[in-house]
Amino acid sequence: MPAVQEHRFQVSGMDCPSCAAKVETAVGRFEDVSDVTVNFATQVLTFRASADGTRPDAIGDAVRKLGYGVEPIAPRPISRVDEKFRVDGMDCPSCAAKIETAVRQLPGTSDIAVNFATQILSVRLDAATTPPDTVIQAVTKLGYRTQHIESLDGREQAESRAGAAPAADEDQQTWWSTPKARLMGLLLASAAVGLVAWLSGVASEQLAFLPTALIGLAYFGRRAVASARAGTPFSIEMLVSLATAGAVVMGASSEAALVNVLFLLGELLEGLAARRARDGIRALGKLIPRTALLVEGDVTRAVEIDSLSIGQVVLVRPGDRVPVDGTIIDGSSDLDEAAVTGESNPVPKTPGSSVVAGSVNTTGALKVQVTRRVEDNTINRIIHMVEEAQATKAPTARLIDRFSRYYTPIAILIAALTMVLPPMAFGADWSTWFYRGLGLLLVACPCALVLSTPAAIASALAAGARSGLLIKGGAALEAIGSARTVAFDKTGTLTVGKPVVTDIVPIDGTADALLSLAAAVEQGSSHPIARAITERATSAGIAVPTATDQRAIAGKAVEGVVAGARIEILSPRHAAGLDYVPDTHPTISALEESGKTVVIVAKDKAPIGFIAVRDEPRPDAAAAITRVHQLGVTPIMLSGDNRRTAGAVGKAMGLEVRAELLPDGKLQEIARLKSQGTVVMVGDGINDAPALAAADVGIAMGGGTDVALETADAALLHEHVGGVADMIELSQRTRRNIAQNVVIALGLKAIFLVTTITGATGLWLAIMADTGATILVTLNALRLLRLTGREQDRTTRDRRKNLRPVEASA
């Protein structure tokens, strides 16, 4: 980022504020100049410019041409720091937008981001111009409780900076003890007293409900004025305040009181829904115990997990939750990872196996060496990624935001015209049309519309994460649901990724001798086929001689010298090209047509036998492909394997196959498919990185590995192909949910627009056009939190519901 400097000039000769405006306009025309201010009282011009951009003397010359004297004041470097603030009380994305606008008005602020999901405000500050306290004051004036992250305790700071925002104060409170709930209690009490006074004849209807209306007006009016001063004149609070004030002036204080009660009720319900959506993902964080059993020599003691360092060892007893990400150094057990990755069956773990925090140790005691601190463990990284994803706007949300910018001012203009045109043009009654215009102000509230997409996206992302489906943003979530094609890599995705030797067919000599020579050449190789051959030789107890002069020909062959003879292991195509054996040999054809991969073993350029390996399909692959078909998406398999082997695997699973594709061939196939519609690519997240990046959405099946979490647009935290179908179904339901929300929001407004203009409904029903729509939209979006994939059996779901945090104890 280029260095930025603040420049100040003493300008002489300015006689009035219009002179200051002329100077400000002239300086503001320079491209790389920003934050231009001219203080007429002190005769000081201030602006910011990059150090390698416009020269300050050029600015001075421009001001002198206007006829003013200019003397530079020594520039000072801008000390910019990134700060975070926790903001309590945001009920919907409109609140986040108001805060962002207000902070943007402050000098010395940039890179402003308000994450409604985490209730965190991030901003880059020039501390010399705007200290953190100034930001806190600006946001507090809008009616939101704000805390600088630096003022929180150490654990909360660590969680916030890692992205796993600590539960806000309002989230920790019971809903009835929040400030808005207390205000609702005051409004209801005041309204009840007014009702008794009116019914008993002590006061007229206007006077009886006037205190309730004025209490609401004071609360919403103060927030409306603060928002207007902060750059948001058409806020929801402003519309409600204008309608309340107008109703009071007209003598309809009872309706004004009801409008305030109903609107505050809507805000309360929005807050409860937002809290529930946040709890949906924060529930993952509760799986991590607060303490761990630290092993120090022969002594074990309970410590806070925050104090654990990388390299230390903890004891995990049967029934305990694993407190850290780490590696087992002693003991064996089965770990239940259902609550973290969605894996339905307990996973066997032995020394050297990795474990994730939050999983449950079901059988034996384990000693685990810490590999990540608590703020960097898998669960906190998942929470961070999901909350960051919730903060990014989906395409539909961006479209609605643009629409709402014009919708609200236009609706206010229509309301104003409704108040004045009929009386002025047609001699209609002023009070009648003024009253109807007030109703239109309430119909103009855009809250339900603005909430329609973010509420659904947040719920879906949280539901997915709890089922082992990590989707990094609303754009990816929407794209998955619109996909026409899902391209699967074969090895490690549709298959287990661990080939085993199935057939050894010698041409000359014995099977053991053939395997011995092949294993000798393949020793030390990490290729899956090489590992399969060496593991078979080891398990069979076959002596493997030493090979020398080993070398590999990528994708074609590997060779070496064993006991003075040159041994080659070749692909059928390469062997055919060398005229060793035709690739149409009956043995090769038969093995490949049964879904096996064949290699030819040659000794001194003469074939001596065939070895076949098979990478078994994942148990759920065929059922998952069937579900993908049922969801209206075309599955296709991309493989570098030969056509017969790949074709046999594809036929068994019921999907199209593109075989013998080199890496660039896969990219060309992805490009061809993208020309026909949205393409999702599913791979292991390692060897498929180019194809994952080329697709519209890349899904990594990595079992929660670093690569799977970081590289793709989405990741399956377990290794079940069915998760792809679950992800598509979740996305499709989310898209339908968003469409339903938009129809609810706009449909109710359209209905009440007509009934308000015609006089069929009054103010309190007009506010229901927004409050009612907001409630319906919120409840509809929360339905997504209950989504589970059809492949997850009832036993798995029941076990996940019954899992609870377990504290380690000494």
Side-chain angles (χ1 to χ4, degrees):
M1 183 176 178
V4 178
Q5 285 187 317
E6 181 178 86
H7 297 275
R8 302 168 74 223
F9 285 86
Q10 192 72 49
V11 182
S12 58
M14 293 190 293
D15 302 322
C16 63
S18 63
C19 298
K22 282 193 291 185
V23 172
E24 189 171 320
T25 300
V27 177
R29 288 176 177 169
F30 288 86
E31 287 188 3
D32 61 337
V33 171
S34 63
D35 299 334
V36 182
T37 59
V38 180
N39 190 322
F40 169 64
T42 61
Q43 304 277 289
V44 172
L45 159 67
T46 306
F47 63 92
R48 291 186 176 126
S50 59
D52 56 355
T54 301
R55 291 166 53 89
D57 54 2
I59 302 291
D61 291 341
V63 177
R64 289 188 188 94
K65 288 179 181 179
L66 298 177
Y68 306 105
V70 180
E71 290 294 334
I73 302 172
R76 64 188 185 201
I78 298 175
S79 174
R80 290 188 179 272
V81 291
D82 293 324
E83 300 286 1
K84 288 188 176 183
F85 303 85
R86 193 171 73 189
V87 183
D88 296 340
M90 289 191 288
D91 301 318
C92 69
S94 296
C95 301
K98 281 189 290 188
I99 292 171
E100 191 170 322
T101 301
V103 175
R104 190 175 289 113
Q105 306 296 316
L106 300 175
T109 59
S110 61
D111 298 341
I112 303 161
V114 181
N115 191 327
F116 165 65
T118 62
Q119 307 275 289
I120 296 293
L121 160 65
S122 303
V123 58
R124 177 166 289 182
L125 285 180
D126 173 9
T129 304
T130 304
D133 285 347
T134 303
V135 176
I136 292 175
Q137 291 170 7
V139 179
T140 302
K141 286 180 180 178
L142 298 177
Y144 305 101
R145 187 170 182 269
T146 310
Q147 286 179 283
H148 191 202
I149 294 296
E150 294 293 343
S151 68
L152 304 177
D153 64 41
R155 180 183 178 86
E156 287 180 317
Q157 284 189 41
E159 290 175 341
S160 293
R161 296 194 185 283
D169 288 351
E170 290 197 359
D171 287 349
Q172 295 173 335
Q173 291 178 295
T174 53
W175 69 267
W176 56 84
S177 62
T178 60
K180 284 183 180 177
R182 292 197 296 269
L183 177 62
M184 173 62 81
L186 177 60
L187 288 176
L188 291 176
S190 175
V193 171
L195 181 63
V196 172
W198 175 48
L199 294 177
S200 62
V202 174
S204 65
E205 181 181 356
Q206 170 72 356
L207 290 177
F209 292 100
L210 184 60
T212 307
L214 293 179
I215 292 171
L217 180 59
Y219 174 74
F220 292 116
R222 180 176 58 82
R223 295 181 63 179
V225 171
S227 295
R229 287 177 174 172
T232 310
F234 300 119
S235 64
I236 298 169
E237 290 85 357
M238 181 65 76
L239 301 181
V240 173
S241 299
L242 290 175
T244 301
V248 169
V249 170
M250 290 185 62
S253 60
S254 59
E255 290 197 68
L258 188 55
V259 163
N260 282 279
V261 169
L262 290 174
F263 184 73
L264 188 60
L265 174 63
E267 287 206 336
L268 272 173
L269 292 174
E270 285 177 21
L272 285 172
R275 180 190 297 191
R276 182 172 176 187
R278 288 193 293 272
D279 288 345
I281 185 61
R282 283 182 181 147
L284 283 174
K286 295 178 181 177
L287 297 175
I288 305 175
R290 291 278 181 171
T291 60
L293 294 174
L294 177 63
V295 178
E296 296 176 318
D298 296 330
V299 179
T300 302
R301 63 187 179 91
V303 298
E304 294 287 326
I305 62 169
D306 302 358
S307 66
L308 293 174
S309 301
I310 294 173
Q312 291 185 309
V313 177
V314 297
L315 174 66
V316 185
R317 302 166 306 185
D320 284 352
R321 283 196 183 276
V322 178
V324 294
D325 281 9
T327 302
I328 296 175
I329 61 172
D330 184 41
S332 299
S333 182
D334 292 334
L335 263 63
D336 189 336
E337 299 177 345
V340 182
T341 67
E343 172 60 57
S344 58
N345 299 310
V347 181
K349 299 287 184 177
T350 57
S353 299
S354 297
V355 297
V356 294
S359 53
V360 178
N361 183 17
T362 62
T363 52
L366 299 173
K367 287 185 179 179
V368 176
Q369 187 172 49
V370 181
T371 57
R372 285 198 186 100
R373 287 187 53 80
V374 60
E375 61 267 23
D376 296 324
N377 67 30
T378 299
I379 283 183
N380 275 335
R381 288 163 63 225
I382 291 171
I383 293 172
H384 168 65
M385 289 177 182
V386 172
E387 291 181 335
E388 288 297 310
Q390 290 173 338
T392 61
K393 290 186 177 180
T396 304
R398 290 195 293 268
L399 177 64
I400 289 175
D401 281 351
R402 288 196 297 270
F403 173 75
S404 64
R405 282 194 214 109
Y406 300 102
Y407 165 79
T408 304
I410 290 173
I412 292 174
L413 177 61
I414 293 173
L417 293 176
T418 301
M419 292 178 182
V420 299
L421 274 184
M424 293 181 66
F426 307 106
D429 180 63
W430 278 96
S431 61
T432 298
W433 286 97
F434 187 79
Y435 180 83
R436 294 178 182 179
L438 292 177
L440 289 182
L441 283 178
L442 299 176
V443 174
C445 293
C447 200
L449 182 62
V450 173
L451 189 65
S452 58
T453 299
I457 294 291
S459 295
L461 293 176
R466 285 160 49 190
S467 298
L469 314 175
L470 179 62
I471 306 172
K472 299 184 190 174
L477 180 62
E478 288 194 13
I480 292 170
S482 64
R484 292 190 59 181
T485 306
V486 177
F488 291 90
D489 178 56
K490 180 176 78 73
T491 304
T493 302
L494 292 175
T495 62
V496 176
K498 296 178 180 178
V500 294
V501 173
T502 58
D503 300 88
I504 303 172
V505 184
I507 297 175
D508 181 20
T510 65
D512 286 356
L514 178 65
L515 183 62
S516 174
L517 291 173
V521 175
E522 294 284 20
Q523 276 187 324
S525 173
S526 60
H527 192 280
I529 293 178
R531 288 201 303 268
I533 291 173
T534 56
E535 287 173 5
R536 175 63 177 267
T538 301
S539 64
I542 295 174
V544 178
T546 301
T548 60
D549 195 23
Q550 292 166 283
R551 73 185 188 96
I553 304 172
K556 297 180 179 180
V558 61
E559 61 183 41
V561 176
V562 180
R566 179 160 294 280
I567 306 299
E568 298 171 277
I569 300 174
L570 313 96
S571 71
R573 278 182 292 172
H574 188 53
L578 296 175
D579 291 329
Y580 286 4
V581 63
D583 58 1
T584 56
H585 189 284
T587 300
I588 296 175
S589 299
L591 291 171
E592 288 185 343
E593 285 172 0
S594 62
K596 299 171 184 177
T597 300
V598 180
V599 295
I600 292 92
V601 183
K603 181 178 181 180
D604 292 330
K605 298 186 178 182
I608 59 173
F610 308 92
I611 297 177
V613 301
R614 179 179 173 91
D615 187 6
E616 295 297 327
R618 292 187 184 275
D620 69 327
I625 296 300
T626 300
R627 280 189 59 204
V628 171
H629 275 298
Q630 292 171 345
L631 292 168
V633 183
T634 301
I636 186 170
M637 184 175 76
L638 305 182
S639 175
D641 215 334
N642 67 81
R643 295 183 186 277
R644 284 193 291 256
T645 299
V649 174
K651 183 178 180 180
M653 295 184 185
L655 78 167
E656 295 182 46
V657 176
R658 302 286 187 273
E660 299 180 2
L661 295 175
L662 296 175
D664 59 341
K666 288 186 180 181
L667 293 179
Q668 292 171 6
E669 186 64 23
I670 291 289
R672 185 187 71 80
L673 294 171
K674 285 177 69 173
S675 68
Q676 302 171 8
T678 303
V679 176
V680 173
M681 175 69 194
V682 187
D684 60 14
I686 302 173
N687 298 324
D688 307 289
L692 291 175
D696 294 292
V697 179
I699 300 176
M701 242 177 70
T705 64
D706 287 349
V707 175
L709 289 176
E710 303 292 348
T711 59
D713 302 301
L716 302 181
L717 303 183
H718 48 68
E719 295 189 345
H720 297 299
V721 186
V724 177
D726 291 339
M727 202 174 280
I728 294 171
E729 183 175 5
L730 175 63
S731 178
Q732 290 180 349
R733 292 194 184 187
T734 303
R735 286 168 61 87
R736 289 195 295 270
N737 191 280
I738 291 171
Q740 293 163 359
N741 288 344
V742 172
V743 169
I744 290 170
L746 292 179
L748 281 178
K749 289 187 182 299
I751 292 171
F752 282 98
L753 176 68
V754 174
T755 59
T756 301
I757 290 178
T758 59
T761 55
L763 292 184
W764 72 274
L765 280 175
I767 194 63
M768 284 300 293
D770 186 71
T771 299
T774 299
I775 294 171
L776 292 175
V777 162
T778 301
L779 293 177
N780 191 43
L782 288 177
R783 289 192 305 119
L784 292 170
L785 286 174
R786 299 195 299 271
L787 282 181
T788 54
R790 286 182 291 182
E791 274 201 350
Q792 292 177 323
D793 57 51
R794 186 175 302 276
T795 302
T796 301
R797 293 199 297 270
D798 289 345
R799 183 171 69 248
R800 186 174 301 140
K801 289 178 183 177
N802 292 330
L803 289 174
R804 294 291 184 270
V806 178
E807 296 295 329
S809 58

